[in-house]
Amino acid sequence: MRITLINPNTSRAMTAKIAAAAREAAAPDVEVVAVCPAEGDGPAAIESHLDEVHAAAAVVDAIRRDQAAGGSDGYIVACFGDPGLDAARELVDAPVVGIAEAAMHVAALTGRTFGIVTTLSRTLGRAQDLVLRYGFERACVAAYGTGIPVLDLEEADPAAVERIAAWCERVAWEDRADAVVLGCAGMADLCAHLSERVGVPVVDGVAAAVGLVSAMARMGVGTSKRDEYATPPHREPLARDAAVAGSVTA
Amino acid sequence: MRITLINPNTSRAMTAKIAAAAREAAAPDVEVVAVCPAEGDGPAAIESHLDEVHAAAAVVDAIRRDQAAGGSDGYIVACFGDPGLDAARELVDAPVVGIAEAAMHVAALTGRTFGIVTTLSRTLGRAQDLVLRYGFERACVAAYGTGIPVLDLEEADPAAVERIAAWCERVAWEDRADAVVLGCAGMADLCAHLSERVGVPVVDGVAAAVGLVSAMARMGVGTSKRDEYATPPHREPLARDAAVAGSVTA
Amino acid sequence: MRITLINPNTSRAMTAKIAAAAREAAAPDVEVVAVCPAEGDGPAAIESHLDEVHAAAAVVDAIRRDQAAGGSDGYIVACFGDPGLDAARELVDAPVVGIAEAAMHVAALTGRTFGIVTTLSRTLGRAQDLVLRYGFERACVAAYGTGIPVLDLEEADPAAVERIAAWCERVAWEDRADAVVLGCAGMADLCAHLSERVGVPVVDGVAAAVGLVSAMARMGVGTSKRDEYATPPHREPLARDAAVAGSVTA
Amino acid sequence: MRITLINPNTSRAMTAKIAAAAREAAAPDVEVVAVCPAEGDGPAAIESHLDEVHAAAAVVDAIRRDQAAGGSDGYIVACFGDPGLDAARELVDAPVVGIAEAAMHVAALTGRTFGIVTTLSRTLGRAQDLVLRYGFERACVAAYGTGIPVLDLEEADPAAVERIAAWCERVAWEDRADAVVLGCAGMADLCAHLSERVGVPVVDGVAAAVGLVSAMARMGVGTSKRDEYATPPHREPLARDAAVAGSVTA
Amino acid sequence: MRITLINPNTSRAMTAKIAAAAREAAAPDVEVVAVCPAEGDGPAAIESHLDEVHAAAAVVDAIRRDQAAGGSDGYIVACFGDPGLDAARELVDAPVVGIAEAAMHVAALTGRTFGIVTTLSRTLGRAQDLVLRYGFERACVAAYGTGIPVLDLEEADPAAVERIAAWCERVAWEDRADAVVLGCAGMADLCAHLSERVGVPVVDGVAAAVGLVSAMARMGVGTSKRDEYATPPHREPLARDAAVAGSVTA
Amino acid sequence: MRITLINPNTSRAMTAKIAAAAREAAAPDVEVVAVCPAEGDGPAAIESHLDEVHAAAAVVDAIRRDQAAGGSDGYIVACFGDPGLDAARELVDAPVVGIAEAAMHVAALTGRTFGIVTTLSRTLGRAQDLVLRYGFERACVAAYGTGIPVLDLEEADPAAVERIAAWCERVAWEDRADAVVLGCAGMADLCAHLSERVGVPVVDGVAAAVGLVSAMARMGVGTSKRDEYATPPHREPLARDAAVAGSVTA
């Protein structure tokens, strides 16, 4: 089984880190391919609604390229805002899962409640939209920004890790969350350390998405093509699409 | 007062029609400028999540161009999916209003309930997301697609108008909606006719947005720049952005 | 266009202040007429459910008088509890807007969240009822009473203004509200000062209602007369109504 | 124990009927006193928001009179819109219960769901407000107006009873409601007949309110005087209040 | 009228205490019979989901025994988790009320909001499930565990009472609850003292359930036997059921 | 990896069928062990709240036996009511997933909405409780009982399959559900046939649970032991527990 993981920002270092986390969580018969947009074809980091607009376009590009090359058994949108997820679902029959939704669904199975610890507080509005869209407004009891920018997570220094851990502890022990959801793909490599430190399950969306999308593929359950997510009406390619150099496989 | 109205699809005929509806609803001291993307720089119509991704990029482009040219006192996103609205708010201090939110807010003031009549049923999921985002899940008692594609509304034939009217009547008299919200900017010119025919207020989002955004500008109330909607972190321009020919003023 | 603004308490000083705020927010072609009940025909202030009962009766009286005199293009109920709003809508075809609903709708357009700062905490229950009725239970992230009685706002002293400002700052910066809604018509004159001081949009419902109701009138959108808000069954006048001396134009 | 039941409309026939239903449901040690406003001091029937405004004033009058005469151990607002209930609670320490809330609370204890069958469909909006206020938006699965005016229930003819029964059956067997709530005090005498006919519990709010308010009185549980429902600020009597002839004991 | 009260834990001391509270709240014509499982046939205390599983079985046993002996006019499940309530309703035509639901319904009638003070914090999840099931998610503004185990309440020492009182005060005066719900049948004897101390109504579910279930019996309103709560399909007795020594009447 | 699947009814034929479905959906390195209670130690079928009470006890028994024998890497409660799930989570550190929650989480990932098709309509109340508990009240757009008893599914005849298929089609094409959730473990073998017939994803909870619980085990994410789901207080074994003959491995 082949799963394509799309990091919609242009950081190759982060893409490699995410790919490693995904492979660690995959069953033996699952192959993970990780791609990101070429420099200049996507946002350097995704920390605003504006970045999300460009990230969504990058996700759509990556899906189309993979489909043109034969397609995969499942797709993962590896940015916590789940940008372009609805459009991605329109483009394929296979299952598509975003890491925010994946992390929330798994966290909900560890008990009753969870909290989110993310990068900049300005992204909390988008997280809140997703919590509501996915039905977790009662399960999600807290969401905090740490103030750490995404790209500082490419190689997180001990102080940053400490700050993230402190927020996770607050979520678990003051806000009474049964689990903590990490709000950025760039935190994937911290997950095991944080789980041990905090004492409750800490959930990384990348690993969660690998589990969910491969489970769906094994069950033969893909994206519903009923109406909303049916193949969209044909459009001539946009001029801007022709200018995209392409994605990179990390 | 100058209000810039952005139609994110490339139909000049529709842009002209929308501009006319906006001007009719504007106070004497309000100037409306209407723009749309050049052919190939935006979707021909917006009827899928994929189209929404491209529409959001077109909205962002248009806002940036207008800001570079001195800016406006308010902005309107004139597509019923309110694409790119959050990103547009990040980019300006002035008020920004989408036509879906505008229509829903005004419809809510006519009584207790409203229903939505739109183009293709595949867009109802997006409408439902917006209903929830704006808090109208109790007020909105029905939403239907007529099956009429957006571009057929450039010049709606009598059969299409009849079909839209029939759905409006169903919403009002079977679903017991106090008002009907028209789910496409391309229906703006039918509004008065439908109101009279149906017997309850029929609300066009373009006119509603003109009213709301000019009211906000008069009050000195713009977009909150507190955190989520503060100016986003600077990013180098994307390669694809350089390829955009620019927007057109209709 | 003529808009009648009804202050349901008997304070002429407050009515004059409200009228001034309304006129400042009105487009050049909008005439604002402000009325309040004669002394003894309405409550001196509206700070309890009991006061609301009497305020609702005063609103109904004022609407009937205005209708008998030829009617207006729109009506505003200028008390933050929106007393008598549903009954007022039954009595006219024109749009009717309460200042609580107006302020909340406009605040929602400035971003994602708002908070309310009002007079006595005992009125917060009514505010909460309205938040729920209008669909803003997710948007409204905080509501506080300052402990300042309504009539102290006729001419607010600097300490009172300072206290209100401090609560507004708490709402914006601790409760993370994108905007602040002022929970009393008597605070209308503080709005500009507070906006500047707090750093997020501060919304006065009187100005907001002028904007909304004149927008509706311009669009030709009034109150839905479908069923709930149709003209009510005829009743013989109540004995108590005959005893009312009438309203006063401020 | 003495419970005062307030019918806020002026129909003495209906007040007598309500009093009989209340007495039948009362424990042996409970005395029920039933009052209604004198002709001209309250609405003849309560079928609109306008009627509710006048009904609320009548409830307040009745409570004050009873308090002045020594007070009761509990109060019932015997109109399905629960008019003036919040104000009534401010005025007394004893428990106060409205028949809409009483019927809904009891219906909820018979199973999972209930439906409402009421008089004119124009009152359904108010019923919906109460359903939401009391937290029964999931429990209440349907609400219908029969089109029968309130005063036709003074002595309901067989055709009216048949129509009400048919709606009750629809609620139970098509909408799958475990119980039916009768949406008008004037239906109190039909309750036993309807229960037998329909095959699920049919709940009359008058009997339910007697049970609830006497249970509270026995427990020593009254109205919370914490803040919202504390005694309201003193106001000079309104001129209109002086014109009220008083209530009638039926 | 005969009401059977089922304490699903095996503490005879607690059963006697609960019975006394129930009798104090009952009308003169109501007889209360209180039972609990024999030692070894039910949990010693109910402080976990595991205990709830066993408590539910004990409730079912007790109902069956009472039915076999001729049945009662109403039943009370006297454990704050309302264990086995749905199953109990299937088994009888008479009304069945749990003390958690009873306390919440009565608390809701004292004003707008309530809070819960219970034993161990680990039971708060179950309380939250019930709050949601009964529709009180807006009314219930706080819920706290005191850390006092259930069996310590058999004879609460002054320090435990003080601790409970302190939490009640916090709920009323910091969380702004109009009433306090006691989250354990074992607190029934503290209710009057706490009400006086805290200054808002403190509601014991045992007394509340007596009031509600006897009100329903008087009205002739029992459990709906429509579909969900109809008599369940016949099953052969389980081997484990034969091993139960029976319940004890305290 | 070893996953223990617990069918809480005593049908060995059904247990075997469920085990087969689970094994088909498992990754190559996952071993599935399926158990059910011995005859007389659990309900023959689970079709009422009463059956759920006994099923919960059977789940607890099975978990304890498996723990005593060394434990598993994950547990599945294979009855659509998810009986005893909370108690099971208290008893282990490993992940525990119910098939109702599993099916709903997976269905939610196929699009926006799903519907449920189950056995007897009397079980729909429990399904509704779970929909709410898991946050799918907006995603779940319909739920129907087919009227087919659980044990008729041991070997479903063509007429029963046809009836189930017809309800699935109604859910997909009239209620506009993107996916269908099968509301009984006994339908597991029909899943592939129904998916093909209906044209949208049809989700079997057994396969879904295998995917979810093995994904969690791979991620190192188990049950949160924070407070609610921590190991429960020790209790002496109940007399009735000693009477249980034990579970059977199918």
Side-chain angles (χ1 to χ4, degrees), chain A residues 176-196:
Chain A
R176 298 178 52 79
D178 290 326
V180 181
V181 162
L182 296 179
C184 180
M187 297 176 180
D189 56 340
L190 307 176
C191 188
H193 166 72
L194 291 170
S195 276
E196 199 174 343

Side-chain angles (χ1 to χ4, degrees), chain B residues 106-113 177-179 199-203, chain C residues 63 67 72-75 85-98 101 133 213 216-217 220-231, chain D residues 49 122:
Chain B
V106 165
L109 297 170
T110 68
R112 178 183 299 275
T113 55
D178 290 327
V200 302
V202 175
V203 180
Chain C
I63 295 269
Q67 290 284 99
S72 302
D73 299 298
Y75 295 88
L85 179 58
D86 281 323
R89 284 194 171 130
E90 289 178 328
L91 293 170
V92 300
D93 294 349
V96 188
V97 173
E101 69 178 343
R133 171 69 178 78
V213 89
M216 291 173 79
V221 166
T223 297
S224 178
K225 306 310 289 180
R226 195 182 50 79
D227 185 22
E228 180 175 356
Y229 298 105
T231 306
Chain D
H49 294 293
R122 68 177 300 146

Side-chain angles (χ1 to χ4, degrees), chain E residues 138-218:
Chain E
R138 287 186 300 273
C140 178
V141 294
Y144 298 110
T146 58
I148 301 170
V150 170
L151 293 182
D152 286 15
L153 293 170
E154 282 186 342
E155 296 197 38
D157 64 21
V161 175
E162 180 60 33
R163 208 185 326 166
I164 293 168
W167 279 106
C168 291
E169 286 175 330
R170 170 164 171 181
V171 159
W173 302 107
E174 291 183 42
D175 295 306
R176 298 178 52 79
D178 290 328
V180 181
V181 162
L182 297 178
C184 181
M187 298 176 180
D189 55 338
L190 307 177
C191 189
H193 166 71
L194 290 170
S195 276
E196 197 173 346
R197 160 88 178 264
V198 177
V200 302
V202 175
V203 180
D204 159 45
V206 176
V210 170
L212 294 182
V213 89
S214 58
M216 291 172 78
R218 252 182 251 284

Side-chain angles (χ1 to χ4, degrees), chain A residues 63 67 75 84-96 216 220-233, chain B residues 48-50 121-122, chain F residues 107 109-113 172-173 176-180 195 198-202:
Chain A
I63 295 269
Q67 289 285 97
Y75 295 89
L85 178 60
D86 282 323
R89 283 191 172 134
E90 289 177 329
L91 293 170
V92 301
D93 293 349
V96 189
M216 292 172 78
V221 166
T223 297
S224 178
K225 309 309 289 181
R226 195 182 50 80
D227 185 22
E228 179 175 357
Y229 296 106
T231 306
Chain B
S48 66
H49 293 294
L50 181 66
S121 60
R122 67 177 301 148
Chain F
L109 297 171
T110 68
R112 178 184 300 275
T113 55
W173 302 107
R176 297 178 53 80
D178 290 328
V180 181
S195 276
V198 178
V200 302
V202 175

Side-chain angles (χ1 to χ4, degrees), chain D residues 56-125:
Chain D
V59 167
V60 163
D61 282 344
I63 295 269
R64 279 179 157 161
R65 271 167 221 280
D66 187 80
Q67 289 285 100
S72 302
D73 299 297
Y75 295 89
I76 293 171
V77 176
C79 163
F80 197 74
D82 291 355
L85 179 59
D86 281 323
R89 285 195 171 129
E90 289 178 330
L91 291 171
V92 300
D93 293 350
V96 188
V97 172
I99 64 167
E101 69 178 343
M104 294 185 204
H105 282 277
V106 165
L109 296 171
T110 67
R112 179 184 299 278
T113 55
F114 64 81
I116 299 171
V117 174
T118 188
T119 54
L120 302 190
S121 61
R122 68 177 300 146
T123 68
L124 291 172

Side-chain angles (χ1 to χ4, degrees), chain D residues 125-145:
Chain D
R126 175 68 183 168
Q128 194 178 318
D129 276 343
L130 297 180
V131 164
L132 190 62
R133 171 69 178 78
Y134 303 144
F136 295 116
E137 64 270 32
R138 285 186 301 274
C140 179
V141 293
Y144 299 108

Side-chain angles (χ1 to χ4, degrees), chain C residues 7-157:
Chain C
N7 172 19
N9 79 26
T10 55
S11 165
R12 292 192 187 200
M14 194 169 289
T15 308
K17 187 205 276 199
I18 295 172
R23 281 164 194 142
E24 206 170 319
D29 56 345
V30 173
E31 177 200 7
V32 174
V33 179
V35 299
C36 68
E39 190 115 347
D41 287 343
I46 303 164
E47 295 172 324
S48 66
H49 293 294
L50 182 65
D51 290 338
E52 293 262 349
V53 168
H54 294 131
V59 166
V60 163
D61 283 344
I63 295 269
R64 278 178 158 162
R65 272 166 221 279
D66 187 78
Q67 290 284 99
S72 302
D73 299 298
Y75 295 88
I76 294 171
V77 177
C79 164
F80 197 74
D82 291 355
L85 179 58
D86 281 323
R89 284 194 171 130
E90 289 178 328
L91 293 170
V92 300
D93 294 349
V96 188
V97 173
I99 65 168
E101 69 178 343
M104 294 184 203
H105 282 277
V106 164
L109 297 171
T110 69
R112 179 183 299 277
T113 56
F114 63 82
I116 300 171
V117 174
T118 188
T119 55
L120 303 190
S121 61
R122 69 177 299 147
T123 68
L124 291 173
R126 174 71 183 165
Q128 193 178 318
D129 276 342
L130 296 181
V131 163
L132 190 63
R133 171 69 178 78
Y134 303 143
F136 295 116
E137 63 269 32
R138 288 186 300 273
C140 179
V141 293
Y144 299 109
T146 57
I148 302 170
V150 169
L151 293 181
D152 286 15
L153 293 169
E154 282 186 340
E155 296 196 37
D157 63 22

